[in-house]
């Protein structure tokens, strides 16, 4: 059971959050210009990394804010949290 | 009656005699006993039958690892409990226990016949034998297995006991109150860490607390005396909490642990009453010290499972802690020094004993002490067989060859009434691995050890592979100082003297002259797997330890292989000729020892099982005989049974009344989201498929929301209250998810939009009045409101006051009737409802529930998201192309609507179905086909909604059918269990296609 450091509320139990999958997948600005394959890439394809992964979490039973988390999926350690719109910490790139 | 209690100890209160029943017979023990120690004091070893061969089995251990002495407690239908380990169950007055897995009784057991046919029951027996013929499984095999292999009986009535949950936070959690745990807890607490120490036993002290050997001393005192002082010391520490009778069940990530505290299991029944039985502690600790100790290993030799064969150290504990001897003529069979402690203890109490040692020779303080006492030792010898049916009465030993692979010389037969075995010690690394820690293998004594200790977690004491007392104390002190970054000097000058083990010899499967196929060398006592089974599994091609384990069922019983896993691994490694450390080990999963369901659910039983949401009109519904339906967490009236009506009759009456005159529905549960901001219109444009910019203030519009994959996600009516203010409604079940999804887009994709979302579902209560007379009822409630079609047309919104309380009134319809929804602040909801009912009396205003609502909307072909859709339906599939804007450049899901898959013409599409027999009502979920003769039958789709319409006097249904759009008028078949129902594909709108009733 993770302890997640919500950038707005502080450390809270995982049960207050819901996971939103991979982060930094930007919705295409002009979806109509995309081929089926390009759209499918955006819609369905996810990396599912073993190791350092950037992902989105929602403090759904708290402040309702979405934010980003850097997590090592091999040991579940959360290495960093940052707000939407902020640049991911470079040291984990 | 024999009495094996031979001396007094401080842990047994001989002034408090306790009577208990075992297998129907009354016995006596004392306060401080476990059921196992009390049975042994009465000379009872035989406590059960083995799972497969039904061999007689006796008490083997004195703790959580016990494989045999598991029993059924009590006989009441609600309180009886199976699979309780007699070695852990504290004795109390009136305890009733019985042995398990032996029918008709433990001494004469019909299943014992399996023992004689055992060559026929090899590894994988159940997989191999009971597979065919298939038809035999249900009627022959399963009942047979269940009858003869009972693992106790479940209670058949609800558990009346009270259970509790509690959350706690600590700086340091110490698991295990043996010598290293006590030291760790003291050091942490004295250095200002808020500390919790838990131990599963009644008292602290682990195995050192009854240690009384003169060669093991701390500061010139017996180690037990020294430890008792330490315990007195730590009890005074203010920031240390000590929880005994508390065992850690699970160690999850981020140092989140579950612990079970036993509060009343040791009390007689009358004292248990109205008390919390067990408490589940949910612990968050910044740092965790694991000090769970180690378990003694058995040895694997022929017939090593007879009653009277115990672990050597358990014999010692029964003697020195409980004052009970396990026999009068004991043999100890060992490969290490610890059995010598047992031997010396027994000798001191006058119990005759001899030692059989696998090692060629050995030289330590303990061994010298035993030799000096004149205890007979057979070095370099192995036990090759044992005898005695219900209890061991003798055994055979032989000399080992130089390499230890075979036996040499003549058999020596020795008589005995008890055999203690010690195959060394296995560190309890369960907690370490549960937390995600890896293991290292130490070849020297063949143990798995915690690999890296992280900054949040550490293992100390014998669970870390440190076995002699000096090593344990020194290392614990050093490691804890480092782990907590402190400089504690309390143990700086502690002077420890102990015997050091110098000699080791480990053999996993002991040699024998008899071929392995004719021996019974048990590895897993509870599941009856033998060394032979493991070898057979390897021969048959199994390689992975996880596969061998499942195939042979080794380590899969209630003891989770605490005694058997290492031997299984060792034999696999030896047979396959690989190093044991490279094999890996099986995964240790929580719980460490079984938990009751009661502990897991705590207080969340009965009406507290789940959160229940009720509308402000709920009491009225209850008073008016509503049957309720669960919709998400909401309780919604399903139908109102009037004068003992059944559901069908009630629904027919309600829906007829709604169309003939007037009906009223509690629509408070619909999700309501208040949307404000200068970009609110643009936001709605992007989340709904249709256009929103031109919606005038005071008007309402129906919207369909898609997922990005183009599939219908939710629907509802949204009202423009003012320039920058909308009220969105969602489905009852979808409200929370819709809000979450909208927030996601606002916060992550379109942060530039000035839009604020607020859930107001609970803030407003809604009464929906429909039917030709609804306008008249509205007029009585709001006499000043102009209800004319010109002023207040369909799909529009007005505000008015009901006795000074503001109401929002929407003229919208989900039934196809003229219809008004009145929204009021929830605290007035009940009054609103009652006023509506009062005003509607003269018009037969009939309250209706969700079932009638579903029927009425089906007559009009309106979909219910989640009933007629299932996450694979596009707007086009629903024949709702009209709601998808062609002009808008983008909205959620738009691009997916012309992916190659979504434009397929043979997708499943929504259609209406009419049965040839108008009285025949279809079953929702029934499959639809066109031809029942050619096999396999081609499935075209299924029925999604089906009702008997009293207004049309016929059965109607909605369904999804492959290429349904092109099938109007086509005959299809619904095959049911006993008949085929003929149907015709129709339009989805069954009633009032022209929408005349909306303006009636
Ligand atoms: Zn938050």
């Amino acid at each position: 059971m993770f302890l997640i450091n919500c950038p707005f509320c502080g450390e809270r139990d995982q049960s207050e959050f819901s996971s939103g999958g991979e982060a930094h997948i930007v919705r295409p600005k002009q979806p109509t210009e995309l081929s089926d394959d390009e759209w499918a890439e955006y819609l369905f394809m996810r990396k599912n990394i073993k190791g350092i992964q950037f992902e989105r979490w929602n403090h759904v039973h708290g402040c309702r804010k979405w934010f980003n988390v850097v997590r090592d999926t091999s040991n579940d350690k959360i290495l960093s949290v940052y707000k939407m719109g902020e640049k991911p910490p470079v040291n984990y790139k | 009656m024999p009495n094996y209690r031979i001396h007094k100890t401080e842990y047994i209160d001989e002034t408090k005699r306790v009577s208990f029943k075992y297998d129907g017979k009354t016995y006596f023990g004392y306060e401080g006993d476990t059921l196992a120690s009390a049975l042994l004091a009465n000379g009872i070893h035989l406590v059960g039958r083995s799972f497969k061969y039904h061999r007689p089995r006796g008490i083997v251990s004195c703790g959580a690892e016990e494989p045999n002495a598991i029993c059924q407690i009590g006989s009441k239908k609600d309180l009886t409990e199976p699979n309780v380990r007699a070695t852990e169950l504290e004795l109390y007055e009136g305890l009733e226990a019985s042995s398990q897995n032996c029918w008709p009784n433990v001494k004469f057991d019909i299943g014992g016949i399996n023992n004689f046919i055992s060559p026929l029951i090899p590894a994988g027996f159940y997989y191999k034998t009971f597979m065919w013929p298939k038809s035999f499984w249900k009627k022959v095999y399963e009942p047979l297995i269940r009858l003869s292999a009972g693992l106790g009986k479940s209670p058949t009535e609800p558990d009346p006991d009270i259970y509790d949950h509690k959350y706690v936070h600590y700086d340091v959690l110490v698991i295990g109150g043996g010598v290293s745990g006590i030291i760790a807890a003291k050091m942490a607490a004295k250095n200002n860490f808020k500390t919790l120490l838990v131990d599963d036993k009644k008292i602290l002290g682990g195995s050192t607390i009854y240690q009384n050997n003169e060669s093991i001393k701390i500061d010139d005192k017996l180690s037990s005396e020294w430890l008792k002082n330490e315990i007195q010391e730590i009890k005074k520490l203010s920031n240390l909490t000590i929880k005994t009778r508390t065992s850690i069940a699970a160690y999850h990530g981020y140092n989140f642990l579950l612990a079970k505290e036993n509060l009343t299991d040791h009390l007689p029944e009358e004292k248990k009453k109205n008390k919390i039985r067990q408490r589940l502690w949910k612990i968050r600790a910044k740092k965790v010290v694991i000090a769970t100790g180690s378990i003694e290993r058995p040895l694997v030799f022929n017939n090593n499972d007879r009653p009277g064969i115990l672990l050597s150290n358990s014999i010692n504990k029964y003697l020195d802690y409980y004052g009970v001897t396990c026999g009068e003529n004991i043999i100890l069979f060992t490969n290490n020094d610890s059995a010598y402690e047992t031997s010396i203890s027994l000798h001191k109490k006058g119990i005759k004993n001899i030692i059989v040692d696998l090692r060629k020779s050995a030289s330590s303080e303990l061994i010298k002490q035993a030799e000096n006492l004149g205890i007979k030792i057979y070095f370099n010898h192995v036990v090759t067989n044992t005898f005695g049916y219900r209890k061991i009465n003798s055994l055979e030993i032989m000399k080992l060859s130089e390499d230890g692979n075979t036996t040499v010389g003549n058999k020596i037969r020795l008589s005995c009434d008890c055999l203690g075995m010690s195959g060394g010690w296995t560190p309890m690394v369960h907690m370490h691995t549960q937390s995600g820690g890896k293991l290292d293998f130490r070849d020297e004594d063949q143990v798995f050890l915690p690999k890296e200790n992280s900054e949040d977690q550490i293992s100390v004491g014998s669970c870390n592979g440190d076995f002699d007392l000096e090593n344990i104390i020194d290392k614990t002190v050093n490691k804890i100082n480092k782990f907590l970054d402190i400089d504690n000097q309390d143990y700086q000058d502690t002077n420890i003297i102990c015997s050091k083990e110098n000699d080791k010899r480990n053999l996993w499967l002991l040699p024998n002259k008899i071929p392995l196929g004719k021996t019974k060398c048990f590895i897993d006592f509870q599941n009856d797997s033998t060394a032979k089974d493991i070898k057979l599994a390897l021969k048959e091609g199994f390689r992975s330890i996880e596969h061998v384990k499942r195939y042979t069922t080794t380590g899969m019983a209630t003891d989770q292989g605490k005694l058997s896993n290492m031997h299984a691994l060792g034999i696999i490694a030896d047979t396959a000729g690989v190093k044991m450390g490279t094999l890996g080990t099986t995964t240790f999963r929580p719980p460490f020892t079984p938990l009751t369901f009661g502990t897991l659910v705590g207080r969340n039983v009965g009406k507290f099982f789940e959160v229940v949401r009720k509308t402000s009109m709920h009491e009225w519904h209850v008073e008016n005989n509503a049957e309720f339906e669960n919709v998400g967490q909401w309780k919604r009236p399903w139908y109102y049974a009037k004068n003992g009506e059944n559901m069908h009759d009630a629904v027919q009456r309600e829906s007829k009344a709604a169309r003939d005159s007037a009906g009223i529905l509690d629509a408070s549960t619909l999700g309501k989201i208040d949307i404000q901001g200068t970009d609110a219109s643009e936001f709605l444009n992007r989340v709904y498929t249709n256009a929103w910019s031109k919606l005038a203030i005071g008007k309402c519009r129906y919207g369909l929301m898609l997922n990005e994959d183009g599939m219908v996600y939710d629907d509802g009516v949204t009202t423009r209250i003012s320039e920058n203010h909308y009220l969105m409604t969602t489905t009852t079940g979808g409200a929370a998810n819709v809000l979450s999804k909208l927030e996601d887009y606002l916060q992550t994709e379109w942060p530039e939009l000035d839009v604020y979302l607020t859930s107001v579902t609970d803030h407003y209560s809604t009464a929906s009045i429909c039917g030709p007379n609804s306008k008249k009822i509205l007029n009585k409630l709001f006499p000043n409101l102009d209800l004319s079609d010109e002023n207040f047309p369909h799909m529009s919104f007005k505000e008015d006051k009901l006795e000074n309380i503001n109401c929002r009134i929407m003229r919208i319809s989900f039934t196809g009737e003229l219809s008004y929804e009145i929204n009021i602040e929830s605290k007035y909801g009940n009054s609103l409802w009652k006023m509506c009912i009062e005003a509607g009396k003269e018009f037969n205003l009939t309250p209706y529930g969700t079932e009638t609502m579903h029927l009425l909307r089906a007559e009009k072909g309106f979909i219910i998201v989640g009933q007629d859709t299932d996450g694979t339906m596009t707007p086009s599939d629903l024949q709702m192309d009209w709601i998808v804007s062609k002009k808008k450049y983008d909205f959620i899901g738009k691009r997916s609507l012309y992916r190659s898959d979504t434009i397929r013409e043979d997708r499943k599409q929504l259609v209406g179905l009419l049965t040839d027999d108008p009285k025949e009502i279809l079953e929702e979920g029934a499959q639809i086909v066109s031809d029942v003769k050619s096999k396999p039958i081609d499935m075209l789709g299924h029925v999604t909604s089906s009702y008997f319409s009293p207004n049309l006097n016929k059965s109607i249904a909605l369904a999804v059918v492959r290429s349904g759009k092109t099938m109007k008028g086509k005959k299809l078949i619904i095959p049911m269990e006993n008949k085929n129902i003929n149907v015709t594909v129709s339009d989805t709108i069954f009633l009032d296609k022209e929408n005349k009733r909306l303006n009636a």
Side-chain angles (χ1 to χ4, degrees), chain A residues 6-10 12 16-17 59 62-65 67:
Chain A
C6 170
F8 306 93
C9 308
R12 296 287 191 279
E16 292 186 15
F17 298 85
H59 196 183
C63 64
R64 247 167 59 196
K65 281 285 195 183
F67 57 94

Side-chain angles (χ1 to χ4, degrees), chain B residues 569-581:
Chain B
L569 273 172
I571 290 167
I572 293 169
D574 286 350
T575 311
V578 295
K579 283 195 104 181
M580 198 164 158

Side-chain angles (χ1 to χ4, degrees), chain A residues 1-3 12-14 18 25-37 39-40 42-44 56 58 60 64-67 71 75-78 84, chain B residues 167 252-256 284 454 456 708-710 739-741 743-745 747-750 752 757-759 889-896 898-901:
Chain A
M1 191 85 84
F2 302 170
L3 264 185
R12 296 287 191 279
D13 192 280
Q14 185 184 346
S18 71
I25 296 173
V26 180
R27 187 174 187 272
K29 284 273 176 284
Q30 296 171 313
T32 44
E33 317 279 296
L34 302 182
S35 69
D36 270 11
D37 284 350
W39 179 247
Y42 158 73
L43 199 54
F44 302 121
R56 293 148 22 93
N58 183 11
V60 63
R64 247 167 59 196
K65 281 285 195 183
W66 285 86
F67 57 94
R71 181 169 66 101
N75 60 15
D76 276 345
K77 288 263 178 320
I78 290 175
M84 282 296 161
Chain B
Y167 291 84
H252 297 293
Y254 288 71
N255 280 353
F256 179 71
R284 283 273 189 197
S454 72
D456 305 326
E708 208 66 271
D709 61 7
L739 180 67
S740 215
K741 177 184 158 99
E743 282 286 5
D744 186 358
Y745 277 91
Q747 292 176 32
T748 66
E749 299 294 348
W750 311 317
E752 71 280 5
L757 306 176
T758 311
S759 169
Y889 180 73
D890 192 16
F891 55 81
I892 297 171
K894 178 177 168 105
R895 175 61 186 83
S896 291
Y898 53 94
R899 289 179 57 236
S900 57
D901 189 58

